[in-house]
Amino acid sequence: LVINAGSSSLKSSSFNLSSDAEVAATKPEWSEELSFGLPAAAAESLTDAVSTVIAKAREATGADPDVVGHRVVHGGDKYVQSAVITE
């Protein structure tokens, strides 16, 4: 599951990758975009949007995600390269 949280929206896609799949050539098996914090928003907050996206991905694919990735545009001075997010 890949998510990209913006200031008022959450874009997400779920990918099913095999060991020999090339990520760049893989199309998502499911995608969703939710807005939050706006009039007529699909979710009350970012937390609600993430929960909704995970539930919809689970429903669409029939499984929980094995890995979740999040795109961060700028990590400041602390993150200058890709990093694993832990608890």
Side-chain angles (χ1 to χ4, degrees), residues 16-26:
N16 185 5
L17 303 176
S18 63
S19 60
D20 60 352
E22 291 185 26
V23 177
T26 303

Side-chain angles (χ1 to χ4, degrees), residues 71-83:
R71 179 177 174 263
V72 177
V73 175
H74 193 293
D77 294 337
K78 186 172 182 180
Y79 299 103
V80 295
Q81 61 187 24
S82 297

Side-chain angles (χ1 to χ4, degrees), residues 5-31:
S7 60
S8 63
S9 69
L10 178 73
K11 296 177 182 88
S12 60
S13 294
S14 178
F15 296 85
N16 185 5
L17 303 176
S18 63
S19 60
D20 60 352
E22 291 185 26
V23 177
T26 303
K27 294 185 178 180
E29 60 179 353
W30 172 86
S31 292

Side-chain angles (χ1 to χ4, degrees), residues 29-52:
E29 60 179 353
W30 172 86
S31 292
E32 178 82 21
E33 181 174 351
L34 295 176
S35 59
F36 57 88
L38 300 171
E44 299 268 331
S45 66
L46 177 58
T47 301
D48 185 38
V50 170
S51 295
T52 300

